[in-house]
């Protein structure tokens, strides 16, 4: 579960190639049934994408909709997760999709700000007031994680699949409850860089944003894992400010 080193040594490249090849005979973090495809071809069901903690114009849902999939976005305004009403609405919508015969894939991208590497430095620079604010935001984030786990278990029970995405070096990956949850069910690790999938700033310069996805869908993991930066040195735009914010969409 430790985020991969981004230096890409020859030994690491070989290890990643072997890892991707092994996904054809997957060894999940926990023994059990792993999901393969999203379910439509296997079960002859239509697909529904549930995007958790996203914006109202998120790209994943936009593309899924164009591909003919049913889409539900859990935004802060439509499903305020962490509140009684928001949690109930999210669970009801997932159960309704199942009742309507959909194969469900839930994609979660929780706000990563409280777990950014910058928070370590800012705790020293900005003092007690920042640390109190950070503690509050991390408590809110932990509540969102708890709700994601609950919803993902419902999706699992319906034969669907889930994915959890964060920046590769986000401190949140080290949280005990999250690691234990992933380790308690079939979970596949995918490490990739944004520039390999067309992430760029407004001037068209590639942006190397290292990502990790933990997923119950082995096909998705195999498609993403090992897609590491191949850009020439100095080609990247910094992933900061408006560029970083736009990448969250």
């Amino acid at each position: 579960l430790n985020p991969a080193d981004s230096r890409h040594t020859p030994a690491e490249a070989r290890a990643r190639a072997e890892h991707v090849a092994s996904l054809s005979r997957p060894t999940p973090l926990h023994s059990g049934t792993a999901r393969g495809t999203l379910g439509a071809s296997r079960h002859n069901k239509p697909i529904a994408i549930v995007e958790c903690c996203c914006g109202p114009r998120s790209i994943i849902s936009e593309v899924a909709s164009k591909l003919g999939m049913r889409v539900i976005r859990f935004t802060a305004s439509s499903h305020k997760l962490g509140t009684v009403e928001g949690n109930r609405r999210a669970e009801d919508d997932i159960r309704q999709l199942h009742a309507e015969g959909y194969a469900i894939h839930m994609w979660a991208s929780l706000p990563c700000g409280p777990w950014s590497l910058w928070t370590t430095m800012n705790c020293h620079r900005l003092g007690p007031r920042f640390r109190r604010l950070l503690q509050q935001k991390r408590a809110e984030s932990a509540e969102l994680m708890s709700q994601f786990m609950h919803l993902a278990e419902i999706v699992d029970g319906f034969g669907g699949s889930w994915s959890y995405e964060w920046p590769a070096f986000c401190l949140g990956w080290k949280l005990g409850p999250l690691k234990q949850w992933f380790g308690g069910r079939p979970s596949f690790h995918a490490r990739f860089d944004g520039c390999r999938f067309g992430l760029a700033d407004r001037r068209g310069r590639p942006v190397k944003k290292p990502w990790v996805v933990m997923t119950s869908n082995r096909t998705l993991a195999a498609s993403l894992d090992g897609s590491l930066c191949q850009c020439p040195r100095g080609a990247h735009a910094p992933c900061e400010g408006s560029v970083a914010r736009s990448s969250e969409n």
Side-chain angles (χ1 to χ4, degrees):
L1 289 177
N2 291 328
D5 193 321
S6 63
R7 288 174 290 184
H8 317 328
T9 64
E12 182 188 22
R14 287 193 299 272
R16 291 194 181 286
E18 292 170 1
H19 171 66
V20 173
S22 73
L23 287 174
S24 61
R25 301 183 303 278
T27 304
L29 296 177
H30 183 272
S31 60
T33 302
R35 312 299 177 197
T37 66
L38 290 182
S41 60
R42 204 165 38 133
H43 302 298
N44 198 29
K45 292 181 177 181
I47 297 173
I49 300 295
V50 175
E51 200 173 357
C52 185
C53 296
C54 65
R57 292 183 294 276
S58 57
I59 295 174
I60 287 178
S61 290
E62 180 182 317
V63 172
S65 181
K66 290 178 180 178
L67 293 174
M69 301 177 188
R70 174 79 178 273
V71 167
I72 296 183
R73 291 180 171 102
F74 291 174
T75 69
S77 57
S78 67
H79 303 72
K80 191 170 179 58
L81 297 181
T83 67
V84 173
E85 176 61 23
N87 294 348
R88 181 196 60 77
R89 182 174 296 179
E91 184 173 336
D92 286 350
D93 282 350
I94 288 175
R95 294 188 182 280
Q96 183 62 34
L97 288 173
H98 174 66
E100 293 175 8
Y102 284 94
I104 304 169
H105 182 81
M106 185 172 76
W107 180 279
S109 182
L110 276 59
C112 62
W115 309 104
S116 165
L117 290 174
W118 285 101
T119 60
T120 302
M121 181 176 67
N122 287 338
C123 280
H124 295 287
R125 289 180 60 247
L126 303 179
R129 184 173 179 276
F130 175 82
R131 289 194 290 270
R132 287 193 298 270
L133 180 62
L134 179 62
Q135 186 175 12
Q136 176 186 340
K137 289 185 176 296
R138 285 184 171 179
E140 294 169 356
S141 179
E143 179 60 32
L144 289 178
M145 285 180 224
S146 177
Q147 188 58 23
F148 157 76
M149 295 175 197
H150 174 65
L151 295 175
E153 287 167 6
I154 294 174
V155 170
D156 251 341
F158 291 154
S161 57
W162 50 264
S163 297
Y164 189 99
E165 171 260 310
W166 256 348
F169 305 109
C170 181
L171 296 173
W173 288 118
K174 299 180 180 181
L175 293 172
L178 194 61
K179 292 173 68 173
Q180 290 169 14
W181 189 84
F182 289 137
R185 53 198 30 81
S187 302
F188 298 89
H189 175 278
R191 164 74 173 86
F192 57 98
D193 292 329
C195 54
R196 287 294 301 276
F197 293 91
L199 185 64
D201 68 1
R202 293 181 179 179
R203 296 169 55 188
R205 294 180 299 170
V207 176
K208 180 188 174 183
K209 181 173 182 177
W211 263 303
V212 162
V213 168
M214 292 297 299
T215 180
S216 63
N217 189 295
R218 65 180 182 181
T219 305
L220 177 62
S223 298
L224 295 174
D225 191 59
S227 295
L228 303 176
C229 173
Q230 295 181 349
C231 301
R233 186 179 298 274
H236 297 108
C239 188
E240 59 187 22
S242 62
V243 174
R245 287 192 296 273
S246 66
S247 72
E248 295 172 0
N249 198 36

